[in-house]
Amino acid sequence: MTVRAPAMRDVARLAGVSHQTVSRVLNGHPHVREQTRLRVQAAITELGYRPNRAARTLVTGRSQVLGVVALNTTLYGPASLLSAFELAAAEAGFAVSVGSVRNLDRTSITAVVERHLAHRVAGIVVIAPVESAGEALECLPTDIPLVTVDGDPRRPVPLVTIDQVEGGRLATRHLLDAGHRTVWHVSGPADWFDSAGRIAGWRETLQAAGAEIPPVLQADWSAASGYRCGQMLARTPEVTAIFTANDDLALGVLHALHEHGRRVPDEVSVVGFDDVPDAAYFIPPLTTVRPDFDTVAEASLDLLLAQIDAGVDHTLRRTVSPTLVTRDSVAPPR
Amino acid sequence: MTVRAPAMRDVARLAGVSHQTVSRVLNGHPHVREQTRLRVQAAITELGYRPNRAARTLVTGRSQVLGVVALNTTLYGPASLLSAFELAAAEAGFAVSVGSVRNLDRTSITAVVERHLAHRVAGIVVIAPVESAGEALECLPTDIPLVTVDGDPRRPVPLVTIDQVEGGRLATRHLLDAGHRTVWHVSGPADWFDSAGRIAGWRETLQAAGAEIPPVLQADWSAASGYRCGQMLARTPEVTAIFTANDDLALGVLHALHEHGRRVPDEVSVVGFDDVPDAAYFIPPLTTVRPDFDTVAEASLDLLLAQIDAGVDHTLRRTVSPTLVTRDSVAPPR
DNA sequence: GCGGTCATTGTTAACGTTAACGTAACGACA
DNA sequence: TGTCGTTACGTTAACGTTAACAATGACCGC
């Protein structure tokens, strides 16, 4: 019924050349006469020819596809990263195949990686900033280009990361500089490296300032859990400054504070993390730490392409510093 | 240096069978002795063999990959959809290749589709609910399974859509039922079908109730634009009920209202759309319309697989009804 | 004019899989 | 006993591309 899609040989026949010449034109090889090139290109457009990437992949052993392993791409961070990465990859001529994982157990991560490998992806990006992702990476063939984003800093794997520790410092110092005696912290899930880094930066800064270090309030990334922590904090009178591990948590905290009649920033100051697009319209507008996802995505692609061109290299690292965005949720204590 | 990855023939040699038998085992064909199957499977695990999908794609002419064309996957809706779709596809044995587009002009949409076609994807999902996406689809080969999500209802293309009109009705009727004389609407971008549908449902419901129909306030999807519209609305005393086309807009409106000292829901009621995870922690918690993205994703996959199995069919349609989630942002007018 | 480089093209053989067909062994049944 | 179907394999030929090598002719220096 439907006709076979035109192949190289059809183009070749129409242009009156060999299929190899068509291949050369397609791949931009030198040593093709301008006139021939034009004839071939004309034939290509006339037939509506589209090269078959599968055949190319088969013979070269490498596809022009990059695999992404991502955990819960509904969160703002991963979603932004994924989107930015996809755009950058497309510009470099690569397609992106995503493998989402709903939870972070090792088997599901391994399964996704296996799927990518079966497709002979040229490289893999792992956006799964949890311990178990690192473990899954251990039992992988070592000859495939791979980059982890926000992965385990202790593992010998190429890594691009936003400087979580610096982010924690930025937020905490800002609150301290505003005059607060200490800063409370609502943290993300314990098994995320992001959480650990932000806690480290927070604690370190408090320590350096000789401030008392309150217990960490452990949450997940959701506004709901932020709200629960916020209720406790709202009932504790000595709390005047809170740093939350992301903006959703901050929203929950803000909500709890509002419910308890503790005004922000007059009575309590809050700093978040992520600079979600909505953050400027929280009540009050949220001071927050802004990671540069575009830069992280570009860096990941760079490290990946470097390995694709020059061979796997486990020593590659890149750290992207976040910046502080000051808005209205921070003020001196009364 | 690095050894060639094991191929079927290596497995065959080790198991003492022909490569075709290995293929049969892999594809679960009948007529393979149990004993042979086990020998082959043992050889597969011993060698760490992974079938080469590219070769399979080449010979069968269809890859086990589904292409997605998505517009701005940073928005909650598209991101949720993408994630849900990816999970469903994986379960059905398909990989998903995403092609993000930053803006909605026709050439960039076409480019992404072309890329998918070059990879011989088995089917394409277009999540680009704008006019220009539909246009781009027109000049495509008609023999490839394709599904549009929230696409143009007037176009003869398989379509899965959340019932935007019904959503608009739900929100508007809820506000009317609370006793408001009429409902103002802050709309999404004009070229999105989502916007059009929600406007239609809103207008229709007002009309049916004999309520006055205020002018539409046109925004984009951002809280920032919601804020700008909110400022106008806050200054207009007769405004007591607002339906915004998504939750981010609602947040901006809420913010503006708060700034102008107009209390929600005491003076003004607000209903959003999307039920973003944060919506329950807005101030006040937002009453909103919740589309079921999981169901939309599953339906899209269904329609796609149906076409892959049984041939392209332009008449397939599926509509998913949203539900109203009532929280605290709606009250009777004073 | 002769060997040698270089630009331009063609020929052939892979790559790893599935589809189509071939074949041997074994029963069932006339 | 011969025929036929069924089970369980094996053989061969694609699929569409690139890589390696070959071939042709032009041009250049001497």
Side-chain angles (χ1 to χ4, degrees), chain A residues 76-161:
Chain A
Y76 177 71
S80 306
L81 209 51
L82 184 59
S83 174
F85 184 78
E86 204 284 322
L87 255 16
E91 215 150 305
F94 283 84
V96 170
S97 174
V98 273
S100 289
V101 191
R102 243 205 253 264
N103 48 22
L104 16 74
D105 63 296
R106 184 168 144 181
T107 47
S108 49
I109 292 177
T110 308
V112 172
V113 172
E114 289 284 320
R115 239 178 42 221
H116 284 322
L117 257 25
H119 280 276
R120 298 296 186 272
V121 294
I124 295 185
V125 180
V126 180
I127 312 178
V130 293
E131 193 70 52
S132 48
E135 288 167 19
L137 265 35
E138 293 234 309
C139 39
L140 236 55
T142 54
D143 58 343
I144 179 152
L146 186 144
V147 171
T148 59
V149 175
D150 287 347
D152 191 341
R154 300 181 310 267
R155 227 172 263 272
V157 165
L159 177 67
V160 176
T161 183

Side-chain angles (χ1 to χ4, degrees), chain A residues 39-287:
Chain A
R39 267 218 319 284
V40 169
Q41 251 141 13
I44 287 176
T45 53
E46 180 175 343
L47 292 178
Y49 165 77
R50 242 183 293 280
N52 185 329
R53 311 295 290 249
R56 183 184 213 279
T57 299
L58 179 59
V59 70
T60 61
R62 287 265 109 123
S63 69
Q64 290 282 94
V65 176
L66 267 18
V68 174
V69 181
L71 182 66
N72 193 356
T73 46
T74 299
L75 290 174
Y76 177 71
S80 306
L81 209 51
L82 184 59
S83 174
F85 184 78
E86 204 284 322
L87 255 16
E91 215 150 305
F94 283 84
V96 170
S97 174
V98 273
S100 289
V101 191
R102 243 205 253 264
N103 48 22
L104 16 74
D105 63 296
R106 184 168 144 181
T107 47
S108 49
I109 292 177
T110 308
V112 172
V113 172
E114 289 284 320
R115 239 178 42 221
H116 284 322
L117 257 25
H119 280 276
R120 298 296 186 272
V121 294
I124 295 185
V125 180
V126 180
I127 312 178
V130 293
E131 193 70 52
S132 48
E135 288 167 19
L137 265 35
E138 293 234 309
C139 39
L140 236 55
T142 54
D143 58 343
I144 179 152
L146 186 144
V147 171
T148 59
V149 175
D150 287 347
D152 191 341
R154 300 181 310 267
R155 227 172 263 272
V157 165
L159 177 67
V160 176
T161 183
I162 56 171
D163 192 337
Q164 311 288 359
V165 180
E166 174 64 12
R169 277 194 217 111
L170 244 35
T172 311
R173 198 176 307 138
H174 182 64
L175 288 162
L176 253 24
D177 286 351
H180 295 275
R181 299 183 50 173
T182 191
V183 177
W184 291 66
H185 181 51
V186 179
S187 145
D191 52 354
W192 283 60
F193 299 118
D194 305 54
S195 307
R198 291 167 202 184
I199 290 177
W202 163 76
R203 176 167 293 147
E204 174 191 303
T205 306
L206 290 185
Q207 220 146 25
E212 193 197 338
I213 302 182
V216 171
L217 296 191
Q218 161 92 44
D220 54 39
W221 295 118
S222 74
S225 71
Y227 176 69
R228 284 191 291 274
C229 294
Q231 286 185 308
M232 295 182 47
L233 292 166
R235 282 194 224 98
T236 315
E238 68 263 32
V239 173
T240 67
I242 305 172
F243 163 44
T244 64
N246 81 351
D247 289 349
D248 299 294
L249 291 172
L251 182 69
V253 167
L254 249 28
H255 195 89
L257 256 18
H258 180 261
E259 259 186 22
H260 283 74
R262 298 200 64 183
R263 290 183 303 148
V264 179
D266 313 72
E267 298 174 51
V268 183
S269 292
V270 177
V271 174
F273 205 113
D274 270 357
D275 196 21
V276 158
D278 281 355
Y281 297 90
F282 287 179
I283 298 174
L286 186 68
T287 290

Side-chain angles (χ1 to χ4, degrees), chain B residues 8 34-35 53 56 59 62 79 98 141 152 168 172 176 204 206 211 230 243 260-261 291 297 305 307 316 318 329-330:
Chain B
M8 230 176 219
E34 187 57 24
Q35 185 195 337
R53 311 295 290 251
R56 185 183 212 280
V59 70
R62 287 265 111 123
V98 272
D152 191 340
T172 310
L176 253 26
E204 174 190 304
L206 289 185
F243 163 44
H260 283 73
L305 296 183
Q307 291 185 83
L316 297 166
R318 196 95 136 253
S329 62
V330 174

